[in-house]
Amino acid sequence: DSGVTQTPKHLITATGQRVTLRCSPRSGDLSVYWYQQSLDQGLQFLIQYYNGEERAKGNILERFSAQQFPDLHSELNLSSLELGDSALYFCASSVAASGLSTDTQYFGPGTRLTVL
Amino acid sequence: AQSVTQLGSHVSVSEGALVLLRCNYSSSVPPYLFWYVQYPNQGLQLLLKYTTGATLVKGINGFEAEFKKSETSFHLTKPSAHMSDAAEYFCAVSDRNADGLTFGKGTHLIIQP
């Protein structure tokens, strides 16, 4: 158990809909990262937040957005869903602020999103 | 831009045999390198990482990896495979200016009894 929790475990929805994925980082970790794992694209970094502020962006679509709240939990919002958005979405956390990329990222168990 | 190439999407070894999973990277700056393992229906777990210093890095579960700058490689090895090692293994790179990890496509390790 990494100490990172994600809810829900599974999510099934229809095209065009909007969903919210939730992540609680390990106690004491200030950085939260979101990754998408799909069969065709593999594991891709989406976005990072540090202590409530966006710090880095990866291959995140404009239909996707995220935020980190004062209690440090984070939410990933996916809107206007398409079939291709079906994937496993991971959240990871670390102590690190931007620039300390040596710190280990601890991954949650993931949320499996199925878009029908 | 950085990238990671893992040679072999599937590797099969006999129990007790040497495990060798290959990883090559490209990075415009000295990289930080990581190996993660993913068991079925679970998240990723860090096996080991290289940041600076000694190029031979020891990790959990008997795994180790050697950073070879001249070959831009970071291959993962284990002297003797165990059935419990069957999983998906990911090599990842991070440069000093980015915080998200860039992952390889992964190698599925199969252990034959």
Side-chain angles (χ1 to χ4, degrees):
Chain A
D1 185 354
S2 67
V4 178
T5 60
Q6 290 186 247
T7 57
K9 278 191 175 181
H10 302 276
L11 199 48
I12 302 174
T13 188
T15 55
Q17 294 299 304
R18 172 189 169 94
V19 297
T20 297
L21 312 182
R22 183 189 169 102
C23 168
S24 292
R26 294 187 322 150
S27 177
D29 284 359
L30 300 177
S31 274
V32 169
Y33 309 78
W34 286 97
Y35 291 86
Q36 179 194 59
Q37 185 179 33
S38 63
L39 283 175
D40 52 347
Q41 298 291 330
L43 261 167
Q44 288 196 99
F45 167 63
L46 296 179
I47 196 165
Q48 180 210 3
Y49 276 79
Y50 173 75
N51 204 21
E53 292 188 6
E54 181 184 306
R55 280 304 175 95
K57 260 187 174 179
N59 299 321
I60 189 165
L61 300 173
E62 285 192 10
R63 301 184 285 109
F64 296 1
S65 65
Q67 54 185 326
Q68 187 179 27
F69 295 86
D71 67 352
L72 300 178
H73 91 271
S74 177
E75 293 181 355
L76 179 67
N77 300 295
L78 315 176
S79 61
S80 302
L81 285 167
E82 302 174 359
L83 295 178
D85 297 328
S86 295
L88 199 50
Y89 290 84
F90 287 109
C91 167
S93 75
S94 76
V95 175
S98 177
L100 297 175
S101 51
T102 57
D103 280 9
T104 298
Q105 293 184 24
Y106 295 88
F107 282 75
T111 293
R112 183 169 295 281
L113 174 66
T114 303
V115 183
L116 301 175
Chain B
Q2 54 203 358
S3 65
V4 176
T5 301
Q6 291 185 240
L7 291 175
S9 58
H10 291 77
V11 170
S12 179
V13 302
S14 298
E15 190 174 17
L18 171 72
V19 174
L20 171 60
L21 304 182
R22 299 178 188 274
C23 172
N24 289 87
Y25 69 90
S26 71
S27 177
S28 57
V29 297
Y32 300 141
L33 296 159
F34 306 79
W35 275 99
Y36 280 85
V37 61
Q38 184 180 27
Y39 297 101
N41 301 313
Q42 293 187 29
L44 282 76
Q45 180 183 9
L46 181 71
L47 280 176
L48 48 81
K49 66 180 180 182
Y50 168 79
T51 54
T52 57
T55 57
L56 182 62
V57 180
K58 294 187 185 300
I60 63 171
N61 302 339
F63 285 93
E64 62 183 37
E66 186 171 10
F67 170 59
K68 292 188 176 180
K69 184 178 177 181
S70 61
E71 299 177 8
T72 60
S73 69
F74 191 57
H75 302 331
L76 181 71
T77 60
K78 181 174 180 177
S80 177
H82 191 272
M83 294 300 290
S84 61
D85 294 327
E88 191 83 15
Y89 290 79
F90 292 93
C91 181
V93 63
S94 172
D95 73 32
R96 291 153 199 249
N97 301 311
D99 298 286
L101 297 172
T102 298
F103 284 91
K105 293 288 189 185
T107 297
H108 185 63
L109 178 62
I110 301 160
I111 311 297
Q112 306 278 7

mmCIF file of all heavy atoms in Angstrom, chain B residues 19-58:
data_model
loop_
_atom_site.group_PDB
_atom_site.id
_atom_site.type_symbol
_atom_site.label_atom_id
_atom_site.label_comp_id
_atom_site.label_asym_id
_atom_site.label_seq_id
_atom_site.Cartn_x
_atom_site.Cartn_y
_atom_site.Cartn_z
ATOM 1 N N VAL B 19 17.429 -12.504 -14.966
ATOM 2 C CA VAL B 19 16.475 -11.587 -15.577
ATOM 3 C C VAL B 19 17.243 -10.379 -16.104
ATOM 4 O O VAL B 19 18.045 -9.784 -15.372
ATOM 5 C CB VAL B 19 15.422 -11.115 -14.554
ATOM 6 C CG1 VAL B 19 14.516 -10.047 -15.180
ATOM 7 C CG2 VAL B 19 14.601 -12.284 -14.045
ATOM 8 N N LEU B 20 17.002 -10.027 -17.360
ATOM 9 C CA LEU B 20 17.603 -8.830 -17.959
ATOM 10 C C LEU B 20 16.518 -8.097 -18.741
ATOM 11 O O LEU B 20 16.005 -8.617 -19.732
ATOM 12 C CB LEU B 20 18.755 -9.201 -18.887
ATOM 13 C CG LEU B 20 19.329 -8.055 -19.745
ATOM 14 C CD1 LEU B 20 19.881 -6.933 -18.876
ATOM 15 C CD2 LEU B 20 20.394 -8.575 -20.710
ATOM 16 N N LEU B 21 16.180 -6.909 -18.284
ATOM 17 C CA LEU B 21 15.200 -6.070 -18.971
ATOM 18 C C LEU B 21 15.927 -4.816 -19.438
ATOM 19 O O LEU B 21 16.563 -4.127 -18.651
ATOM 20 C CB LEU B 21 14.041 -5.706 -18.041
ATOM 21 C CG LEU B 21 13.300 -6.867 -17.407
ATOM 22 C CD1 LEU B 21 12.138 -6.359 -16.556
ATOM 23 C CD2 LEU B 21 12.811 -7.853 -18.440
ATOM 24 N N ARG B 22 15.799 -4.535 -20.734
ATOM 25 C CA ARG B 22 16.604 -3.482 -21.337
ATOM 26 C C ARG B 22 15.866 -2.146 -21.410
ATOM 27 O O ARG B 22 14.666 -2.103 -21.711
ATOM 28 C CB ARG B 22 17.043 -3.894 -22.741
ATOM 29 C CG ARG B 22 17.896 -5.145 -22.765
ATOM 30 C CD ARG B 22 18.259 -5.550 -24.171
ATOM 31 N NE ARG B 22 18.916 -6.849 -24.206
ATOM 32 C CZ ARG B 22 20.226 -7.028 -24.036
ATOM 33 N NH1 ARG B 22 21.009 -5.982 -23.830
ATOM 34 N NH2 ARG B 22 20.734 -8.237 -24.075
ATOM 35 N N CYS B 23 16.631 -1.095 -21.162
ATOM 36 C CA CYS B 23 16.085 0.261 -21.210
ATOM 37 C C CYS B 23 17.140 1.191 -21.767
ATOM 38 O O CYS B 23 18.266 1.233 -21.255
ATOM 39 C CB CYS B 23 15.659 0.724 -19.821
ATOM 40 S SG CYS B 23 15.175 2.468 -19.724
ATOM 41 N N ASN B 24 16.780 1.913 -22.814
ATOM 42 C CA ASN B 24 17.634 2.972 -23.352
ATOM 43 C C ASN B 24 16.855 4.284 -23.319
ATOM 44 O O ASN B 24 15.647 4.303 -23.504
ATOM 45 C CB ASN B 24 18.081 2.650 -24.769
ATOM 46 C CG ASN B 24 19.080 1.519 -24.814
ATOM 47 O OD1 ASN B 24 18.710 0.350 -24.872
ATOM 48 N ND2 ASN B 24 20.342 1.863 -24.754
ATOM 49 N N TYR B 25 17.561 5.353 -23.087
ATOM 50 C CA TYR B 25 16.905 6.644 -22.942
ATOM 51 C C TYR B 25 17.574 7.673 -23.839
ATOM 52 O O TYR B 25 18.699 7.486 -24.300
ATOM 53 C CB TYR B 25 16.978 7.116 -21.480
ATOM 54 C CG TYR B 25 18.385 7.487 -21.075
ATOM 55 C CD1 TYR B 25 18.857 8.778 -21.227
ATOM 56 C CD2 TYR B 25 19.251 6.515 -20.588
ATOM 57 C CE1 TYR B 25 20.162 9.104 -20.900
ATOM 58 C CE2 TYR B 25 20.553 6.821 -20.253
ATOM 59 C CZ TYR B 25 21.003 8.118 -20.416
ATOM 60 O OH TYR B 25 22.296 8.425 -20.096
ATOM 61 N N SER B 26 16.865 8.734 -24.075
ATOM 62 C CA SER B 26 17.485 9.909 -24.676
ATOM 63 C C SER B 26 17.063 11.109 -23.849
ATOM 64 O O SER B 26 15.902 11.224 -23.449
ATOM 65 C CB SER B 26 17.077 10.084 -26.136
ATOM 66 O OG SER B 26 15.742 10.478 -26.225
ATOM 67 N N SER B 27 18.030 11.957 -23.584
ATOM 68 C CA SER B 27 17.759 13.140 -22.781
ATOM 69 C C SER B 27 18.814 14.185 -23.113
ATOM 70 O O SER B 27 19.979 13.857 -23.287
ATOM 71 C CB SER B 27 17.804 12.796 -21.289
ATOM 72 O OG SER B 27 17.605 13.952 -20.502
ATOM 73 N N SER B 28 18.402 15.423 -23.160
ATOM 74 C CA SER B 28 19.324 16.503 -23.499
ATOM 75 C C SER B 28 20.160 16.941 -22.298
ATOM 76 O O SER B 28 21.134 17.660 -22.451
ATOM 77 C CB SER B 28 18.548 17.707 -24.058
ATOM 78 O OG SER B 28 17.592 18.122 -23.115
ATOM 79 N N VAL B 29 19.777 16.478 -21.135
ATOM 80 C CA VAL B 29 20.528 16.810 -19.919
ATOM 81 C C VAL B 29 20.759 15.517 -19.143
ATOM 82 O O VAL B 29 20.088 14.510 -19.405
ATOM 83 C CB VAL B 29 19.754 17.818 -19.043
ATOM 84 C CG1 VAL B 29 19.579 19.134 -19.780
ATOM 85 C CG2 VAL B 29 18.411 17.255 -18.625
ATOM 86 N N PRO B 30 21.705 15.517 -18.208
ATOM 87 C CA PRO B 30 21.894 14.288 -17.400
ATOM 88 C C PRO B 30 20.568 13.874 -16.775
ATOM 89 O O PRO B 30 19.927 14.665 -16.097
ATOM 90 C CB PRO B 30 22.919 14.730 -16.351
ATOM 91 C CG PRO B 30 23.681 15.816 -17.011
ATOM 92 C CD PRO B 30 22.691 16.545 -17.877
ATOM 93 N N PRO B 31 20.183 12.636 -16.999
ATOM 94 C CA PRO B 31 18.841 12.228 -16.577
ATOM 95 C C PRO B 31 18.802 11.659 -15.169
ATOM 96 O O PRO B 31 19.817 11.264 -14.616
ATOM 97 C CB PRO B 31 18.526 11.116 -17.575
ATOM 98 C CG PRO B 31 19.870 10.461 -17.787
ATOM 99 C CD PRO B 31 20.874 11.583 -17.717
ATOM 100 N N TYR B 32 17.608 11.623 -14.642
ATOM 101 C CA TYR B 32 17.322 10.787 -13.493
ATOM 102 C C TYR B 32 16.535 9.600 -14.052
ATOM 103 O O TYR B 32 15.625 9.786 -14.857
ATOM 104 C CB TYR B 32 16.486 11.525 -12.455
ATOM 105 C CG TYR B 32 17.149 12.765 -11.905
ATOM 106 C CD1 TYR B 32 16.412 13.918 -11.655
ATOM 107 C CD2 TYR B 32 18.509 12.790 -11.611
ATOM 108 C CE1 TYR B 32 17.010 15.057 -11.137
ATOM 109 C CE2 TYR B 32 19.110 13.925 -11.100
ATOM 110 C CZ TYR B 32 18.355 15.060 -10.868
ATOM 111 O OH TYR B 32 18.945 16.184 -10.364
ATOM 112 N N LEU B 33 16.868 8.403 -13.620
ATOM 113 C CA LEU B 33 16.292 7.187 -14.199
ATOM 114 C C LEU B 33 15.636 6.334 -13.125
ATOM 115 O O LEU B 33 16.140 6.243 -11.993
ATOM 116 C CB LEU B 33 17.390 6.386 -14.913
ATOM 117 C CG LEU B 33 18.001 7.106 -16.115
ATOM 118 C CD1 LEU B 33 19.366 6.543 -16.448
ATOM 119 C CD2 LEU B 33 17.071 7.003 -17.316
ATOM 120 N N PHE B 34 14.549 5.711 -13.498
ATOM 121 C CA PHE B 34 13.745 4.957 -12.548
ATOM 122 C C PHE B 34 13.285 3.647 -13.192
ATOM 123 O O PHE B 34 13.073 3.569 -14.405
ATOM 124 C CB PHE B 34 12.482 5.738 -12.148
ATOM 125 C CG PHE B 34 12.737 7.121 -11.620
ATOM 126 C CD1 PHE B 34 13.011 8.173 -12.472
ATOM 127 C CD2 PHE B 34 12.689 7.365 -10.247
ATOM 128 C CE1 PHE B 34 13.235 9.453 -11.986
ATOM 129 C CE2 PHE B 34 12.911 8.652 -9.755
ATOM 130 C CZ PHE B 34 13.190 9.685 -10.626
ATOM 131 N N TRP B 35 13.127 2.622 -12.367
ATOM 132 C CA TRP B 35 12.408 1.415 -12.750
ATOM 133 C C TRP B 35 11.243 1.233 -11.781
ATOM 134 O O TRP B 35 11.415 1.264 -10.564
ATOM 135 C CB TRP B 35 13.306 0.176 -12.691
ATOM 136 C CG TRP B 35 14.114 -0.063 -13.918
ATOM 137 C CD1 TRP B 35 15.422 0.246 -14.131
ATOM 138 C CD2 TRP B 35 13.673 -0.702 -15.126
ATOM 139 N NE1 TRP B 35 15.816 -0.137 -15.391
ATOM 140 C CE2 TRP B 35 14.764 -0.734 -16.022
ATOM 141 C CE3 TRP B 35 12.453 -1.259 -15.538
ATOM 142 C CZ2 TRP B 35 14.680 -1.289 -17.295
ATOM 143 C CZ3 TRP B 35 12.367 -1.811 -16.800
ATOM 144 C CH2 TRP B 35 13.476 -1.825 -17.670
ATOM 145 N N TYR B 36 10.061 1.037 -12.380
ATOM 146 C CA TYR B 36 8.867 0.750 -11.607
ATOM 147 C C TYR B 36 8.328 -0.624 -12.006
ATOM 148 O O TYR B 36 8.497 -1.064 -13.148
ATOM 149 C CB TYR B 36 7.771 1.782 -11.894
ATOM 150 C CG TYR B 36 7.920 3.092 -11.149
ATOM 151 C CD1 TYR B 36 8.719 4.116 -11.651
ATOM 152 C CD2 TYR B 36 7.240 3.317 -9.957
ATOM 153 C CE1 TYR B 36 8.838 5.323 -10.978
ATOM 154 C CE2 TYR B 36 7.348 4.525 -9.278
ATOM 155 C CZ TYR B 36 8.146 5.517 -9.795
ATOM 156 O OH TYR B 36 8.258 6.712 -9.122
ATOM 157 N N VAL B 37 7.630 -1.275 -11.067
ATOM 158 C CA VAL B 37 6.971 -2.540 -11.346
ATOM 159 C C VAL B 37 5.474 -2.381 -11.104
ATOM 160 O O VAL B 37 5.057 -1.653 -10.197
ATOM 161 C CB VAL B 37 7.549 -3.690 -10.474
ATOM 162 C CG1 VAL B 37 7.351 -3.417 -8.986
ATOM 163 C CG2 VAL B 37 6.910 -5.023 -10.841
ATOM 164 N N GLN B 38 4.698 -3.005 -11.974
ATOM 165 C CA GLN B 38 3.240 -2.968 -11.830
ATOM 166 C C GLN B 38 2.716 -4.395 -11.823
ATOM 167 O O GLN B 38 2.814 -5.112 -12.824
ATOM 168 C CB GLN B 38 2.600 -2.177 -12.977
ATOM 169 C CG GLN B 38 1.096 -2.018 -12.841
ATOM 170 C CD GLN B 38 0.496 -1.218 -13.994
ATOM 171 O OE1 GLN B 38 1.017 -1.193 -15.104
ATOM 172 N NE2 GLN B 38 -0.622 -0.550 -13.720
ATOM 173 N N TYR B 39 2.142 -4.798 -10.694
ATOM 174 C CA TYR B 39 1.491 -6.098 -10.597
ATOM 175 C C TYR B 39 0.052 -5.956 -11.073
ATOM 176 O O TYR B 39 -0.507 -4.855 -11.057
ATOM 177 C CB TYR B 39 1.558 -6.630 -9.169
ATOM 178 C CG TYR B 39 2.975 -6.863 -8.697
ATOM 179 C CD1 TYR B 39 3.615 -5.947 -7.865
ATOM 180 C CD2 TYR B 39 3.694 -7.992 -9.110
ATOM 181 C CE1 TYR B 39 4.925 -6.145 -7.446
ATOM 182 C CE2 TYR B 39 4.999 -8.191 -8.706
ATOM 183 C CZ TYR B 39 5.605 -7.262 -7.880
ATOM 184 O OH TYR B 39 6.901 -7.459 -7.482
ATOM 185 N N PRO B 40 -0.563 -7.037 -11.504
ATOM 186 C CA PRO B 40 -1.926 -6.965 -12.043
ATOM 187 C C PRO B 40 -2.888 -6.239 -11.113
ATOM 188 O O PRO B 40 -2.902 -6.497 -9.904
ATOM 189 C CB PRO B 40 -2.299 -8.436 -12.215
ATOM 190 C CG PRO B 40 -0.999 -9.129 -12.427
ATOM 191 C CD PRO B 40 -0.008 -8.409 -11.564
ATOM 192 N N ASN B 41 -3.621 -5.313 -11.701
ATOM 193 C CA ASN B 41 -4.655 -4.551 -10.981
ATOM 194 C C ASN B 41 -4.101 -3.731 -9.824
ATOM 195 O O ASN B 41 -4.811 -3.491 -8.828
ATOM 196 C CB ASN B 41 -5.750 -5.489 -10.473
ATOM 197 C CG ASN B 41 -6.412 -6.247 -11.603
ATOM 198 O OD1 ASN B 41 -6.775 -5.672 -12.623
ATOM 199 N ND2 ASN B 41 -6.542 -7.547 -11.438
ATOM 200 N N GLN B 42 -2.860 -3.331 -9.940
ATOM 201 C CA GLN B 42 -2.264 -2.494 -8.898
ATOM 202 C C GLN B 42 -1.584 -1.277 -9.520
ATOM 203 O O GLN B 42 -1.395 -1.204 -10.738
ATOM 204 C CB GLN B 42 -1.239 -3.292 -8.088
ATOM 205 C CG GLN B 42 -1.852 -4.405 -7.247
ATOM 206 C CD GLN B 42 -0.833 -5.054 -6.339
ATOM 207 O OE1 GLN B 42 0.139 -4.421 -5.916
ATOM 208 N NE2 GLN B 42 -1.060 -6.323 -6.017
ATOM 209 N N GLY B 43 -1.225 -0.343 -8.674
ATOM 210 C CA GLY B 43 -0.463 0.814 -9.117
ATOM 211 C C GLY B 43 1.000 0.466 -9.297
ATOM 212 O O GLY B 43 1.414 -0.675 -9.144
ATOM 213 N N LEU B 44 1.788 1.472 -9.629
ATOM 214 C CA LEU B 44 3.203 1.262 -9.851
ATOM 215 C C LEU B 44 3.983 1.391 -8.550
ATOM 216 O O LEU B 44 3.683 2.247 -7.718
ATOM 217 C CB LEU B 44 3.744 2.294 -10.850
ATOM 218 C CG LEU B 44 3.447 2.033 -12.323
ATOM 219 C CD1 LEU B 44 2.000 2.364 -12.647
ATOM 220 C CD2 LEU B 44 4.375 2.838 -13.208
ATOM 221 N N GLN B 45 4.993 0.541 -8.416
ATOM 222 C CA GLN B 45 5.839 0.557 -7.231
ATOM 223 C C GLN B 45 7.288 0.775 -7.673
ATOM 224 O O GLN B 45 7.763 0.111 -8.605
ATOM 225 C CB GLN B 45 5.715 -0.781 -6.481
ATOM 226 C CG GLN B 45 6.563 -0.866 -5.226
ATOM 227 C CD GLN B 45 6.470 -2.238 -4.567
ATOM 228 O OE1 GLN B 45 5.909 -3.180 -5.114
ATOM 229 N NE2 GLN B 45 7.026 -2.342 -3.380
ATOM 230 N N LEU B 46 7.981 1.683 -7.004
ATOM 231 C CA LEU B 46 9.366 1.958 -7.366
ATOM 232 C C LEU B 46 10.269 0.790 -6.987
ATOM 233 O O LEU B 46 10.252 0.322 -5.851
ATOM 234 C CB LEU B 46 9.857 3.224 -6.666
ATOM 235 C CG LEU B 46 11.299 3.633 -6.992
ATOM 236 C CD1 LEU B 46 11.386 4.153 -8.431
ATOM 237 C CD2 LEU B 46 11.794 4.703 -6.013
ATOM 238 N N LEU B 47 11.060 0.327 -7.965
ATOM 239 C CA LEU B 47 12.067 -0.704 -7.708
ATOM 240 C C LEU B 47 13.396 -0.079 -7.319
ATOM 241 O O LEU B 47 14.048 -0.514 -6.368
ATOM 242 C CB LEU B 47 12.288 -1.560 -8.961
ATOM 243 C CG LEU B 47 11.298 -2.661 -9.284
ATOM 244 C CD1 LEU B 47 11.663 -3.293 -10.612
ATOM 245 C CD2 LEU B 47 11.259 -3.710 -8.186
ATOM 246 N N LEU B 48 13.808 0.918 -8.087
ATOM 247 C CA LEU B 48 15.083 1.589 -7.842
ATOM 248 C C LEU B 48 15.147 2.858 -8.667
ATOM 249 O O LEU B 48 14.347 3.046 -9.592
ATOM 250 C CB LEU B 48 16.267 0.669 -8.179
ATOM 251 C CG LEU B 48 16.253 -0.064 -9.521
ATOM 252 C CD1 LEU B 48 16.720 0.816 -10.659
ATOM 253 C CD2 LEU B 48 17.123 -1.323 -9.436
ATOM 254 N N LYS B 49 16.129 3.711 -8.322
ATOM 255 C CA LYS B 49 16.309 4.941 -9.083
ATOM 256 C C LYS B 49 17.775 5.345 -9.091
ATOM 257 O O LYS B 49 18.525 5.039 -8.157
ATOM 258 C CB LYS B 49 15.445 6.076 -8.536
ATOM 259 C CG LYS B 49 15.839 6.544 -7.138
ATOM 260 C CD LYS B 49 14.904 7.674 -6.681
ATOM 261 C CE LYS B 49 15.292 8.155 -5.294
ATOM 262 N NZ LYS B 49 14.361 9.238 -4.815
ATOM 263 N N TYR B 50 18.168 6.009 -10.169
ATOM 264 C CA TYR B 50 19.488 6.588 -10.278
ATOM 265 C C TYR B 50 19.338 8.102 -10.375
ATOM 266 O O TYR B 50 18.595 8.602 -11.219
ATOM 267 C CB TYR B 50 20.238 6.075 -11.512
ATOM 268 C CG TYR B 50 21.474 6.882 -11.794
ATOM 269 C CD1 TYR B 50 22.652 6.666 -11.058
ATOM 270 C CD2 TYR B 50 21.472 7.895 -12.738
ATOM 271 C CE1 TYR B 50 23.763 7.437 -11.277
ATOM 272 C CE2 TYR B 50 22.597 8.671 -12.963
ATOM 273 C CZ TYR B 50 23.733 8.441 -12.229
ATOM 274 O OH TYR B 50 24.845 9.217 -12.437
ATOM 275 N N THR B 51 20.061 8.801 -9.513
ATOM 276 C CA THR B 51 20.052 10.263 -9.610
ATOM 277 C C THR B 51 21.484 10.741 -9.861
ATOM 278 O O THR B 51 21.796 11.251 -10.930
ATOM 279 C CB THR B 51 19.463 10.904 -8.347
ATOM 280 O OG1 THR B 51 20.158 10.416 -7.183
ATOM 281 C CG2 THR B 51 17.998 10.529 -8.218
ATOM 282 N N THR B 52 22.353 10.576 -8.910
ATOM 283 C CA THR B 52 23.770 10.908 -9.097
ATOM 284 C C THR B 52 24.583 9.890 -8.307
ATOM 285 O O THR B 52 24.047 9.098 -7.545
ATOM 286 C CB THR B 52 24.112 12.309 -8.581
ATOM 287 O OG1 THR B 52 23.751 12.390 -7.202
ATOM 288 C CG2 THR B 52 23.367 13.381 -9.346
ATOM 289 N N GLY B 53 25.907 9.943 -8.493
ATOM 290 C CA GLY B 53 26.765 9.076 -7.695
ATOM 291 C C GLY B 53 26.982 7.718 -8.334
ATOM 292 O O GLY B 53 27.126 7.599 -9.551
ATOM 293 N N ALA B 54 26.989 6.693 -7.519
ATOM 294 C CA ALA B 54 27.301 5.336 -7.971
ATOM 295 C C ALA B 54 26.368 4.914 -9.095
ATOM 296 O O ALA B 54 25.151 5.073 -8.999
ATOM 297 C CB ALA B 54 27.174 4.354 -6.810
ATOM 298 N N THR B 55 26.967 4.381 -10.138
ATOM 299 C CA THR B 55 26.181 4.043 -11.324
ATOM 300 C C THR B 55 25.480 2.702 -11.209
ATOM 301 O O THR B 55 24.572 2.421 -11.973
ATOM 302 C CB THR B 55 27.075 4.040 -12.570
ATOM 303 O OG1 THR B 55 28.157 3.121 -12.357
ATOM 304 C CG2 THR B 55 27.627 5.430 -12.846
ATOM 305 N N LEU B 56 25.908 1.857 -10.277
ATOM 306 C CA LEU B 56 25.218 0.594 -10.030
ATOM 307 C C LEU B 56 24.264 0.816 -8.861
ATOM 308 O O LEU B 56 24.689 1.113 -7.744
ATOM 309 C CB LEU B 56 26.209 -0.520 -9.721
ATOM 310 C CG LEU B 56 25.605 -1.905 -9.496
ATOM 311 C CD1 LEU B 56 24.878 -2.389 -10.743
ATOM 312 C CD2 LEU B 56 26.690 -2.897 -9.079
ATOM 313 N N VAL B 57 22.996 0.652 -9.143
ATOM 314 C CA VAL B 57 21.972 0.960 -8.151
ATOM 315 C C VAL B 57 21.273 -0.322 -7.739
ATOM 316 O O VAL B 57 20.860 -1.105 -8.596
ATOM 317 C CB VAL B 57 20.931 1.940 -8.731
ATOM 318 C CG1 VAL B 57 19.872 2.260 -7.691
ATOM 319 C CG2 VAL B 57 21.598 3.206 -9.218
ATOM 320 N N LYS B 58 21.165 -0.524 -6.444
ATOM 321 C CA LYS B 58 20.452 -1.702 -5.929
ATOM 322 C C LYS B 58 19.055 -1.296 -5.483
ATOM 323 O O LYS B 58 18.866 -0.231 -4.889
ATOM 324 C CB LYS B 58 21.225 -2.325 -4.781
ATOM 325 C CG LYS B 58 22.566 -2.918 -5.222
ATOM 326 C CD LYS B 58 23.248 -3.676 -4.119
ATOM 327 C CE LYS B 58 24.628 -4.158 -4.545
ATOM 328 N NZ LYS B 58 24.575 -5.058 -5.701
#
